mmCIF file of all heavy atoms in Angstrom:
data_model
loop_
_atom_site.group_PDB
_atom_site.id
_atom_site.type_symbol
_atom_site.label_atom_id
_atom_site.label_comp_id
_atom_site.label_asym_id
_atom_site.label_seq_id
_atom_site.Cartn_x
_atom_site.Cartn_y
_atom_site.Cartn_z
ATOM 1 N N HIS A 19 113.854 -46.275 -59.337
ATOM 2 C CA HIS A 19 112.588 -46.463 -60.092
ATOM 3 C C HIS A 19 112.899 -47.338 -61.259
ATOM 4 O O HIS A 19 113.822 -47.078 -62.083
ATOM 5 C CB HIS A 19 112.066 -45.071 -60.574
ATOM 6 C CG HIS A 19 110.913 -45.233 -61.483
ATOM 7 N ND1 HIS A 19 109.669 -45.578 -60.945
ATOM 8 C CD2 HIS A 19 110.787 -45.154 -62.805
ATOM 9 C CE1 HIS A 19 108.774 -45.640 -62.031
ATOM 10 N NE2 HIS A 19 109.492 -45.421 -63.096
ATOM 11 N N THR A 22 107.728 -50.353 -65.221
ATOM 12 C CA THR A 22 106.974 -51.648 -65.238
ATOM 13 C C THR A 22 107.105 -52.291 -66.660
ATOM 14 O O THR A 22 106.953 -51.595 -67.601
ATOM 15 C CB THR A 22 105.486 -51.357 -64.934
ATOM 16 O OG1 THR A 22 105.358 -50.525 -63.806
ATOM 17 C CG2 THR A 22 104.699 -52.689 -64.731
ATOM 18 N N GLN A 31 91.486 -52.808 -70.627
ATOM 19 C CA GLN A 31 91.315 -51.641 -69.728
ATOM 20 C C GLN A 31 90.571 -52.087 -68.491
ATOM 21 O O GLN A 31 89.569 -52.834 -68.589
ATOM 22 C CB GLN A 31 90.434 -50.579 -70.512
ATOM 23 C CG GLN A 31 91.234 -49.829 -71.480
ATOM 24 C CD GLN A 31 92.164 -48.857 -70.858
ATOM 25 O OE1 GLN A 31 92.903 -49.160 -69.979
ATOM 26 N NE2 GLN A 31 92.211 -47.611 -71.350
ATOM 27 N N PRO A 32 91.030 -51.658 -67.280
ATOM 28 C CA PRO A 32 90.253 -52.009 -66.128
ATOM 29 C C PRO A 32 88.874 -51.459 -66.110
ATOM 30 O O PRO A 32 88.650 -50.337 -66.659
ATOM 31 C CB PRO A 32 91.129 -51.561 -64.973
ATOM 32 C CG PRO A 32 92.054 -50.528 -65.513
ATOM 33 C CD PRO A 32 92.199 -50.820 -66.978
ATOM 34 N N ASP A 33 88.013 -52.112 -65.429
ATOM 35 C CA ASP A 33 86.629 -51.666 -65.305
ATOM 36 C C ASP A 33 86.597 -50.313 -64.691
ATOM 37 O O ASP A 33 87.490 -49.887 -63.873
ATOM 38 C CB ASP A 33 86.028 -52.718 -64.387
ATOM 39 C CG ASP A 33 84.612 -52.461 -64.063
ATOM 40 O OD1 ASP A 33 83.808 -52.671 -65.047
ATOM 41 O OD2 ASP A 33 84.286 -52.057 -62.919
ATOM 42 N N GLU A 34 85.643 -49.468 -65.059
ATOM 43 C CA GLU A 34 85.544 -48.103 -64.557
ATOM 44 C C GLU A 34 85.514 -48.037 -63.020
ATOM 45 O O GLU A 34 86.183 -47.216 -62.377
ATOM 46 C CB GLU A 34 84.302 -47.417 -65.176
ATOM 47 C CG GLU A 34 83.995 -45.990 -64.696
ATOM 48 C CD GLU A 34 85.236 -45.065 -64.948
ATOM 49 O OE1 GLU A 34 85.871 -45.228 -65.894
ATOM 50 O OE2 GLU A 34 85.406 -44.209 -64.054
ATOM 51 N N ALA A 35 84.745 -49.009 -62.397
ATOM 52 C CA ALA A 35 84.676 -49.077 -60.974
ATOM 53 C C ALA A 35 86.051 -49.317 -60.299
ATOM 54 O O ALA A 35 86.352 -48.794 -59.269
ATOM 55 C CB ALA A 35 83.648 -50.065 -60.513
ATOM 56 N N VAL A 36 86.818 -50.148 -60.953
ATOM 57 C CA VAL A 36 88.162 -50.481 -60.433
ATOM 58 C C VAL A 36 89.008 -49.249 -60.504
ATOM 59 O O VAL A 36 89.703 -48.950 -59.552
ATOM 60 C CB VAL A 36 88.763 -51.691 -61.233
ATOM 61 C CG1 VAL A 36 90.174 -51.901 -60.875
ATOM 62 C CG2 VAL A 36 87.956 -52.918 -61.040
ATOM 63 N N ARG A 37 88.986 -48.549 -61.667
ATOM 64 C CA ARG A 37 89.758 -47.374 -61.846
ATOM 65 C C ARG A 37 89.361 -46.283 -60.790
ATOM 66 O O ARG A 37 90.219 -45.578 -60.276
ATOM 67 C CB ARG A 37 89.660 -46.794 -63.262
ATOM 68 C CG ARG A 37 90.752 -47.444 -64.163
ATOM 69 C CD ARG A 37 90.911 -46.685 -65.432
ATOM 70 N NE ARG A 37 89.784 -46.913 -66.247
ATOM 71 C CZ ARG A 37 89.319 -46.048 -67.162
ATOM 72 N NH1 ARG A 37 89.847 -44.879 -67.215
ATOM 73 N NH2 ARG A 37 88.268 -46.354 -67.945
ATOM 74 N N ALA A 38 88.105 -46.138 -60.592
ATOM 75 C CA ALA A 38 87.649 -45.186 -59.590
ATOM 76 C C ALA A 38 88.118 -45.549 -58.200
ATOM 77 O O ALA A 38 88.548 -44.649 -57.425
ATOM 78 C CB ALA A 38 86.076 -45.076 -59.556
ATOM 79 N N GLU A 39 88.122 -46.738 -57.801
ATOM 80 C CA GLU A 39 88.588 -47.231 -56.485
ATOM 81 C C GLU A 39 90.138 -46.997 -56.412
ATOM 82 O O GLU A 39 90.540 -46.601 -55.378
ATOM 83 C CB GLU A 39 88.202 -48.724 -56.395
ATOM 84 C CG GLU A 39 88.739 -49.429 -55.066
ATOM 85 C CD GLU A 39 87.995 -48.994 -53.852
ATOM 86 O OE1 GLU A 39 87.331 -47.937 -53.829
ATOM 87 O OE2 GLU A 39 88.108 -49.720 -52.841
ATOM 88 N N LEU A 40 90.831 -47.267 -57.427
ATOM 89 C CA LEU A 40 92.275 -47.114 -57.483
ATOM 90 C C LEU A 40 92.562 -45.594 -57.280
ATOM 91 O O LEU A 40 93.476 -45.271 -56.494
ATOM 92 C CB LEU A 40 92.854 -47.658 -58.784
ATOM 93 C CG LEU A 40 94.321 -47.703 -58.941
ATOM 94 C CD1 LEU A 40 95.007 -48.474 -57.748
ATOM 95 C CD2 LEU A 40 94.749 -48.250 -60.295
ATOM 96 N N THR A 41 91.862 -44.737 -57.978
ATOM 97 C CA THR A 41 92.021 -43.324 -57.808
ATOM 98 C C THR A 41 91.742 -42.853 -56.389
ATOM 99 O O THR A 41 92.502 -42.133 -55.815
ATOM 100 C CB THR A 41 91.144 -42.576 -58.809
ATOM 101 O OG1 THR A 41 91.520 -42.935 -60.143
ATOM 102 C CG2 THR A 41 91.253 -41.069 -58.693
ATOM 103 N N ARG A 42 90.664 -43.398 -55.815
ATOM 104 C CA ARG A 42 90.319 -43.026 -54.469
ATOM 105 C C ARG A 42 91.418 -43.410 -53.486
ATOM 106 O O ARG A 42 91.811 -42.627 -52.674
ATOM 107 C CB ARG A 42 88.978 -43.681 -54.077
ATOM 108 C CG ARG A 42 88.420 -43.314 -52.733
ATOM 109 C CD ARG A 42 87.189 -44.199 -52.359
ATOM 110 N NE ARG A 42 87.508 -45.576 -52.086
ATOM 111 C CZ ARG A 42 88.129 -46.027 -50.990
ATOM 112 N NH1 ARG A 42 88.400 -45.179 -50.047
ATOM 113 N NH2 ARG A 42 88.353 -47.298 -50.879
ATOM 114 N N LEU A 43 91.882 -44.592 -53.580
ATOM 115 C CA LEU A 43 92.967 -45.141 -52.741
ATOM 116 C C LEU A 43 94.233 -44.309 -52.924
ATOM 117 O O LEU A 43 94.951 -43.962 -51.976
ATOM 118 C CB LEU A 43 93.254 -46.570 -52.960
ATOM 119 C CG LEU A 43 92.139 -47.561 -52.515
ATOM 120 C CD1 LEU A 43 92.303 -48.956 -53.055
ATOM 121 C CD2 LEU A 43 92.026 -47.576 -50.982
ATOM 122 N N ARG A 44 94.515 -43.982 -54.190
ATOM 123 C CA ARG A 44 95.765 -43.226 -54.428
ATOM 124 C C ARG A 44 95.698 -41.815 -53.910
ATOM 125 O O ARG A 44 96.771 -41.219 -53.525
ATOM 126 C CB ARG A 44 96.088 -43.162 -56.041
ATOM 127 C CG ARG A 44 96.668 -44.528 -56.470
ATOM 128 C CD ARG A 44 96.919 -44.481 -57.929
ATOM 129 N NE ARG A 44 97.556 -45.782 -58.321
ATOM 130 C CZ ARG A 44 97.713 -46.136 -59.651
ATOM 131 N NH1 ARG A 44 97.284 -45.324 -60.583
ATOM 132 N NH2 ARG A 44 98.331 -47.230 -59.868
ATOM 133 N N GLU A 45 94.514 -41.238 -53.887
ATOM 134 C CA GLU A 45 94.365 -39.846 -53.276
ATOM 135 C C GLU A 45 94.651 -39.952 -51.819
ATOM 136 O O GLU A 45 95.301 -39.060 -51.245
ATOM 137 C CB GLU A 45 92.932 -39.345 -53.591
ATOM 138 C CG GLU A 45 92.803 -38.794 -55.008
ATOM 139 C CD GLU A 45 91.390 -38.481 -55.417
ATOM 140 O OE1 GLU A 45 90.452 -38.629 -54.547
ATOM 141 O OE2 GLU A 45 91.233 -38.109 -56.619
ATOM 142 N N SER A 46 94.178 -41.001 -51.178
ATOM 143 C CA SER A 46 94.472 -41.193 -49.750
ATOM 144 C C SER A 46 95.940 -41.385 -49.531
ATOM 145 O O SER A 46 96.531 -40.795 -48.568
ATOM 146 C CB SER A 46 93.734 -42.378 -49.156
ATOM 147 O OG SER A 46 92.365 -41.984 -48.943
ATOM 148 N N ILE A 47 96.619 -42.206 -50.347
ATOM 149 C CA ILE A 47 98.009 -42.430 -50.255
ATOM 150 C C ILE A 47 98.795 -41.047 -50.346
ATOM 151 O O ILE A 47 99.683 -40.806 -49.616
ATOM 152 C CB ILE A 47 98.531 -43.449 -51.334
ATOM 153 C CG1 ILE A 47 97.935 -44.861 -50.982
ATOM 154 C CG2 ILE A 47 99.983 -43.502 -51.416
ATOM 155 C CD1 ILE A 47 98.046 -45.896 -52.076
ATOM 156 N N ASP A 48 98.386 -40.285 -51.334
ATOM 157 C CA ASP A 48 98.992 -39.032 -51.588
ATOM 158 C C ASP A 48 98.892 -38.097 -50.356
ATOM 159 O O ASP A 48 99.819 -37.388 -49.950
ATOM 160 C CB ASP A 48 98.522 -38.301 -52.836
ATOM 161 C CG ASP A 48 98.995 -38.945 -54.112
ATOM 162 O OD1 ASP A 48 99.926 -39.762 -54.067
ATOM 163 O OD2 ASP A 48 98.437 -38.639 -55.166
ATOM 164 N N ASN A 49 97.706 -38.092 -49.785
ATOM 165 C CA ASN A 49 97.465 -37.310 -48.517
ATOM 166 C C ASN A 49 98.397 -37.727 -47.369
ATOM 167 O O ASN A 49 98.951 -37.031 -46.623
ATOM 168 C CB ASN A 49 95.981 -37.362 -48.097
ATOM 169 C CG ASN A 49 95.099 -36.503 -48.942
ATOM 170 O OD1 ASN A 49 95.587 -35.602 -49.676
ATOM 171 N ND2 ASN A 49 93.802 -36.764 -48.933
ATOM 172 N N ILE A 50 98.451 -39.122 -47.203
ATOM 173 C CA ILE A 50 99.299 -39.670 -46.167
ATOM 174 C C ILE A 50 100.701 -39.320 -46.394
ATOM 175 O O ILE A 50 101.434 -38.925 -45.506
ATOM 176 C CB ILE A 50 99.058 -41.189 -46.090
ATOM 177 C CG1 ILE A 50 97.595 -41.511 -45.598
ATOM 178 C CG2 ILE A 50 100.056 -41.850 -45.105
ATOM 179 C CD1 ILE A 50 97.150 -42.938 -45.859
ATOM 180 N N ASP A 51 101.211 -39.436 -47.674
ATOM 181 C CA ASP A 51 102.634 -39.149 -47.947
ATOM 182 C C ASP A 51 102.923 -37.670 -47.650
ATOM 183 O O ASP A 51 103.956 -37.389 -47.060
ATOM 184 C CB ASP A 51 102.910 -39.434 -49.371
ATOM 185 C CG ASP A 51 103.063 -40.973 -49.715
ATOM 186 O OD1 ASP A 51 103.031 -41.796 -48.734
ATOM 187 O OD2 ASP A 51 103.077 -41.290 -50.882
ATOM 188 N N ALA A 52 101.923 -36.822 -47.937
ATOM 189 C CA ALA A 52 102.051 -35.397 -47.611
ATOM 190 C C ALA A 52 102.213 -35.210 -46.124
ATOM 191 O O ALA A 52 103.084 -34.453 -45.614
ATOM 192 C CB ALA A 52 100.960 -34.555 -48.188
ATOM 193 N N ALA A 53 101.338 -35.884 -45.358
ATOM 194 C CA ALA A 53 101.355 -35.744 -43.886
ATOM 195 C C ALA A 53 102.655 -36.221 -43.307
ATOM 196 O O ALA A 53 103.270 -35.616 -42.464
ATOM 197 C CB ALA A 53 100.205 -36.556 -43.258
#
Side-chain angles (χ1 to χ4, degrees):
H19 173 74
T22 311
Q31 284 287 46
D33 181 71
E34 178 54 35
V36 172
R37 272 196 286 149
E39 176 73 341
L40 188 56
T41 298
R42 185 186 68 76
L43 290 167
R44 284 177 174 171
E45 282 170 2
S46 283
I47 290 167
D48 287 347
N49 284 343
I50 294 163
D51 288 349

